[in-house]
Amino acid sequence: MGASLSLVPLIDYFARREFLAAGLRPNTATLPYPDGGPSASCTVHYWAPPGEPRLPPLLLVHGFGPRATWQWRCQVGPLSRRFHLIVPDLLGFGGSSCGSSSAAPPPPSEATQAAALAALLDSLPGLNSKDDSGKIKRVAVAGTSYGGFVAYWLARAAGEARVGPVVIASSDLLKTAADDRGFLKRAGDGWGGVHELLLPAQPAAMRRLMEMAVYRPPPPLMTPDFVLRDFIQKLFTDNREQLIHLLKGITVGTDKFQVTPLSQEVLIVWGEHDQLFPVEKAFAIQRSLDGKARVEIIKKTSHTPQLEDPARFNKILLDFLQAADAPADPACIKGSSQ
């Protein structure tokens, strides 16, 4: 009886309900695959409100793991009151896939993912037209974990004329092979590589990943092996080869990914007890961005502060995004120069 019980559809139902209640609707767009040649295409699944934006647009980019609806389910309600949200599944996740040509396309790098998102934005109504001053509507972007890599690439490639304020959450843009070794050391003995934890194949690996990603993980009695096997089957087994393919495309930690300062305003958000990317990396990234980025550390959270303390996370995002997009007060400018 236990083997037939699956929590995945239930969680998926409640996550989708949050998106629908926020006014978002599921859509798909077929776009050229950036790295696949002239005949290759990709399918991007995304959530967005119908019609042209009446509020400032905000792109939410999920991390490695479950689909976008699971990772941003606590944000879409509060954020949708102030922003026109666009929440895609990255290539290789959820309903998004890459490559339809006869030859297998190369795995999508962060730059490829960013190019696909740029193409998606250009295809959406009201986001590719110019205003009376000849400017295209700017889009704010927030990315968590792997999605932070993509958000950084998108902001740098598109520039501040297209992409506005940037939020990097729990995302080690400076990750190296030494950081991977540190991660495995924190995980304990018995792991042959980072992929064994990020793509768990056994309940023990899934349980350890949960313990490291969440400050207060559920007790073992609430996560028996048959429940964890079901999560592994639904989230990691059916598309395991695709996810391994995607892992091979990651360029963070190589000479292909060089962090340079962004021209946009940047917020860095981190969980105080993050065991995947230790909190000191937040300040290292701040230094690599010329020290101008704002850093917010959320106490009593680990790698997923947007789910562990959504009220605090949402307030930090809203305060930053609204202040970044607010027009400068001439009186304040004048006062600051005196």
Side-chain angles (χ1 to χ4, degrees):
M1 180 177 178
S4 65
L5 175 66
S6 176
L7 294 178
V8 173
L10 184 64
I11 296 173
D12 199 43
Y13 166 77
F14 282 108
R16 289 174 62 90
R17 193 171 74 168
E18 292 287 347
F19 274 60
L20 292 169
L24 279 65
R25 298 294 181 267
N27 301 274
T28 57
T30 300
L31 305 165
Y33 181 59
D35 287 348
S39 62
S41 64
C42 60
T43 299
V44 177
H45 178 271
Y46 67 97
W47 290 77
E52 296 192 7
R54 295 191 299 271
L55 296 170
L58 170 60
L59 178 71
L60 299 179
V61 189
H62 68 83
F64 202 89
R67 61 208 67 168
T69 48
W70 289 34
Q71 297 190 39
W72 293 115
R73 64 184 185 273
C74 297
Q75 280 62 58
V76 289
L79 294 180
S80 65
R81 302 181 193 117
R82 302 292 182 89
F83 295 95
H84 179 97
L85 298 180
I86 305 112
V87 192
D89 287 326
L90 290 171
L91 299 177
F93 297 90
S96 297
S97 60
C98 50
S100 60
S101 60
S102 57
S109 66
E110 303 86 341
T112 303
Q113 298 275 17
L117 293 185
L120 172 66
L121 294 176
D122 287 343
S123 73
L124 297 180
L127 289 181
N128 60 355
S129 56
K130 296 181 179 180
D131 60 21
D132 294 339
S133 63
K135 295 180 179 179
I136 295 179
K137 187 181 292 292
R138 297 206 316 163
V139 179
V141 59
T144 179
S145 195
Y146 174 74
F149 307 156
V150 178
Y152 171 82
W153 265 114
L154 177 62
R156 193 169 80 174
E160 63 179 334
R162 182 60 164 138
V163 174
V166 180
V167 179
I168 304 295
S170 309
S171 182
D172 186 4
L173 303 180
L174 301 175
K175 185 179 74 65
T176 65
D179 291 304
D180 286 342
R181 291 192 294 270
F183 168 68
L184 290 174
K185 185 176 180 180
R186 290 188 295 277
D189 297 332
W191 310 110
V194 171
H195 68 282
E196 291 188 7
L197 288 162
L198 295 184
L199 296 173
Q202 299 297 330
M206 183 75 182
R207 185 172 287 110
R208 186 63 185 126
L209 177 61
M210 293 170 61
E211 291 169 349
M212 297 185 73
V214 181
Y215 178 64
R216 292 191 179 95
L221 286 176
M222 294 182 62
T223 55
D225 282 1
F226 78 87
V227 170
L228 297 182
R229 287 194 186 96
D230 179 62
F231 274 84
I232 291 169
Q233 176 65 36
K234 300 292 196 306
L235 301 179
F236 299 107
T237 301
D238 292 344
N239 61 341
R240 188 175 184 81
E241 290 302 317
Q242 187 178 31
L243 291 174
I244 291 174
H245 190 62
L246 189 144
L247 269 178
K248 293 178 180 178
I250 293 178
T251 59
V252 171
T254 73
D255 56 6
K256 296 179 180 179
F257 194 106
Q258 298 295 322
V259 176
T260 57
L262 296 174
S263 54
Q264 297 92 335
E265 294 185 67
V266 179
L267 168 67
I268 300 169
V269 187
W270 225 271
E272 181 183 25
H273 301 278
D274 194 338
Q275 295 189 68
L276 274 67
F277 299 145
V279 69
E280 57 264 23
K281 298 306 291 282
F283 299 99
I285 295 168
Q286 182 190 42
R287 291 191 294 271
S288 74
L289 298 175
D290 279 354
K292 297 177 181 178
R294 171 180 160 189
V295 175
E296 291 281 354
I297 307 301
I298 302 182
K299 295 182 178 181
K300 297 183 180 180
T301 66
S302 182
H303 189 64
T304 57
Q306 79 274 16
L307 300 177
E308 298 172 74
D309 191 349
R312 178 64 179 154
F313 185 92
N314 295 344
K315 185 179 187 306
I316 288 171
L317 252 66
L318 282 167
D319 288 349
F320 167 75
L321 293 172
Q322 292 179 134
D325 265 348
D329 186 340
C332 294
I333 297 173
K334 181 178 179 180
S336 66
S337 65
Q338 291 177 345

